Amino acid sequence: MTTEGERQENHDAVSPLSQFCDIIANLFSASNKNPLTFCFEEQSLRLDLCARLRLGRTILLIGEGASNEASSKSNGKRVPMNERAKYKLIGFIMMFCSSSLMGGIGAFTRFIDAPGDFVSFWRNFAGLIALTIIFLFIGGFKKVKATRFSGMMLLSGIFLGLLSGLYCLSTQYTTLANASFLIYTGPIYSTILAAIFLKEKIDWRGILCIIAVVVGMLFIVGIVTPEGLTLDLDPTYTFGNAIAFASGVAYGLYLFFSRYREDCDSNVRSWWNFLFASLAILVLLLWHNFCLQPLSYTEKVNGVTQVDAAGQIITHPWNLFTMPLDSWLWLIAAALITGFGAFYLLTHATKRLKAGELAAISYQETIMASLLGLFMFGETMTTFQIIGGALIVCGGVAQIFFSTAAASKQGEKIEKEEEIRENLEARLDQEQERER
């Protein structure tokens, strides 16, 4: 597959102006005719010296005009955002909305008497149901059938399911801080993989943005505190830490594989993602119930988890058929908002943004989770958490600014090349008419 960066490099390498200049040079070097004339054999057109001078003057004037235009733009005049910059900015908005919606899952689960992996299953299954209904009304399955299926589409769906399913499972076997930290290493893995295999370049500014948001994440989830590091490496949590690490790897692989098949329609890609994610979590759910321990849920009162006299979290065996109605209503809301809405927007964002750009915005999820805890449950934010939130915001905003500016510059370059090509073609047509 040809990546966005490779396509742009190829475009730069064989721009219309470069092709035209190469043709002229080849004709001069290959011609054995009068040095004052040369021949375009395909059109049987002979241009004299004056015509060549007029053509050269046209090229110089066009180049001078483009240079003056660029200079005037750089001297402070407000330039409208071109299509490439708009495309990139829309991707950032989608990623911001997606990560914000995903940050609400913790608040929803406090009102749902069900295991975390069952909630994860419904987050994807609800998306599958919703898109299926929409496709039935708009005829979307015609596009699904017309789209070539590939292994990358299968893998992105599987890892979408595993990233949420494994994270929920890990919270039952390790500390919440450990689980949160290890899953949020995922965007780092995807950035490294994309740089190696997709040749997605990331400059020093992008690296600084990612460092800022990662440090901010460490502050918010409580890994870095005034007392030091809180990452608990107690052997008791080895199994849970391994599952949490696997959830981070799944997160990174999902973002990485989603960068393939940019030709695929995002709605079609979302439908396949929801299908395979649901199947992956279903398998994980069965493995959890029959191979690890029977499914259970934590006891909560007004969204607050209850503990016994020994300080242990109180849990109860879970039964699908005895789940209370209010839990089902909260589950449906969580599935549609933090599942269908969040993952649908995420699929669209992965098509528009590079892995490093996705990484810089993905940690917005931790800010939303902290704000919901503050306003809904009266949880306080420490000074370190506030600093962490500020770092995430600054890193994300800076990444948006740098990426849209680069996309705008790239778009201007392409537009200028197209303008030069069109002007040259028009000038050649005029010269042909004069010679006739």
Side-chain angles (χ1 to χ4, degrees):
M1 173 187 170
T2 303
T3 65
E4 180 183 79
E6 291 172 340
R7 286 196 298 271
Q8 185 58 37
E9 290 174 3
N10 292 339
H11 183 279
D12 294 342
V14 289
S15 65
L17 182 58
S18 298
Q19 290 179 334
F20 180 81
C21 293
D22 289 340
I23 292 172
I24 299 297
N26 291 336
L27 287 169
F28 267 119
S29 61
S31 177
N32 294 321
K33 298 182 181 294
N34 189 315
L36 297 181
T37 60
F38 61 92
C39 177
F40 288 88
E41 294 181 354
E42 293 183 359
Q43 302 180 17
S44 301
L45 174 64
R46 191 178 297 271
L47 298 179
D48 60 10
L49 178 60
C50 293
R52 292 204 303 275
L53 290 175
R54 287 196 299 270
L55 181 59
R57 182 172 176 272
T58 302
I59 296 173
L60 291 175
L61 288 174
I62 293 173
E64 182 180 358
S67 177
N68 291 337
E69 181 184 4
S71 176
S72 66
K73 289 180 179 179
S74 63
N75 286 334
K77 290 188 177 181
R78 190 172 182 273
V79 181
M81 184 178 292
N82 58 45
E83 293 303 317
R84 291 182 69 89
K86 289 180 182 177
Y87 183 82
K88 186 71 70 174
L89 181 59
I90 291 173
F92 278 115
I93 293 174
M94 288 180 168
M95 187 61 194
F96 175 82
C97 294
S98 172
S99 59
S100 297
L101 293 178
M102 284 192 284
I105 185 58
F108 277 107
T109 54
R110 297 191 185 195
F111 300 100
I112 303 173
D113 292 336
D117 31 8
F118 180 73
V119 176
S120 295
F121 169 78
W122 271 96
R123 290 175 71 189
N124 289 278
F125 191 58
L128 178 64
I129 294 174
L131 266 187
T132 298
I133 294 174
I134 293 172
F135 279 4
L136 289 174
F137 276 98
I138 66 173
F141 283 108
K142 294 180 180 178
K143 189 173 289 185
V144 173
K145 294 179 180 179
T147 302
R148 179 179 62 86
F149 183 78
S150 67
M152 296 302 175
M153 297 166 67
L154 169 66
L155 291 174
S156 65
I158 290 176
F159 286 116
L160 173 62
L162 290 180
L163 77 89
S164 58
L166 289 173
Y167 169 73
C168 292
L169 183 61
S170 69
T171 58
Q172 301 179 42
Y173 295 94
T174 187
T175 66
L176 184 59
N178 284 12
S180 299
F181 163 67
L182 290 170
I183 190 174
Y184 287 131
T185 58
I188 301 175
Y189 307 145
S190 66
T191 302
I192 296 173
L193 289 172
I196 296 173
F197 295 100
L198 298 178
K199 309 303 180 185
E200 290 187 357
K201 297 179 181 178
I202 179 170
D203 58 15
W204 63 271
R205 294 175 299 182
I207 294 174
L208 288 179
C209 291
I210 292 177
I211 291 175
V213 297
V214 170
V215 172
M217 177 271 295
L218 294 176
F219 285 5
I220 280 192
V221 302
I223 292 296
V224 178
T225 66
E227 291 75 29
L229 296 177
T230 62
L231 184 64
D232 199 332
L233 299 179
D234 189 309
T236 306
Y237 300 129
T238 300
F239 179 68
N241 289 339
I243 296 178
F245 175 75
S247 71
V249 173
Y251 190 6
L253 291 175
Y254 164 72
L255 294 176
F256 171 66
F257 287 123
S258 294
R259 293 293 299 139
Y260 286 88
R261 290 300 307 274
E262 293 181 22
D263 62 301
C264 181
D265 179 78
S266 294
N267 293 326
V268 173
R269 188 72 179 265
S270 295
W271 189 85
W272 284 115
N273 278 348
F274 285 132
L275 173 62
F276 292 118
S278 300
L279 294 175
I281 298 179
L282 183 60
V283 172
L284 188 65
L285 195 66
L286 295 174
W287 175 69
H288 180 195
N289 185 68
F290 294 107
C291 299
L292 295 180
Q293 63 181 23
L295 297 175
S296 62
Y297 66 94
T298 58
E299 181 178 327
K300 296 175 283 288
V301 177
N302 296 325
V304 180
T305 300
Q306 302 299 298
V307 296
D308 57 21
Q312 300 296 317
I313 296 176
I314 301 175
T315 62
H316 301 285
W318 175 74
N319 190 317
L320 173 66
F321 302 102
T322 59
M323 207 166 99
L325 176 61
D326 61 335
S327 288
W328 276 108
L329 295 177
W330 280 107
L331 176 62
I332 294 172
L336 292 176
I337 296 173
T338 71
F340 172 52
F343 294 149
Y344 177 79
L345 290 172
L346 180 60
T347 302
H348 279 264
T350 56
K351 184 175 181 177
R352 294 170 177 263
L353 303 180
K354 295 180 180 179
E357 296 166 338
L358 292 166
I361 308 300
S362 62
Y363 295 104
Q364 162 67 24
E365 177 181 349
T366 61
I367 297 179
M368 180 58 67
S370 299
L371 291 176
L372 289 175
L374 174 65
F375 291 111
M376 293 181 63
F377 306 104
E379 298 176 353
T380 58
M381 292 184 67
T382 66
T383 302
F384 262 52
Q385 287 178 316
I386 295 174
I387 294 174
L391 286 172
I392 291 175
V393 171
C394 292
V397 170
Q399 182 65 73
I400 293 173
F401 174 78
F402 294 142
S403 295
T404 52
S408 179
K409 184 177 180 181
Q410 196 175 50
E412 289 176 7
K413 181 180 178 181
I414 294 175
E415 289 175 358
K416 289 173 188 174
E417 290 179 347
E418 291 295 328
E419 182 181 356
I420 291 173
R421 181 183 62 80
E422 291 172 0
N423 287 332
L424 287 175
E425 290 178 350
R427 189 67 180 184
L428 283 173
D429 290 340
Q430 292 176 6
E431 295 295 340
Q432 291 177 17
E433 292 296 328
R434 290 177 185 176
E435 290 299 320
R436 290 173 184 172

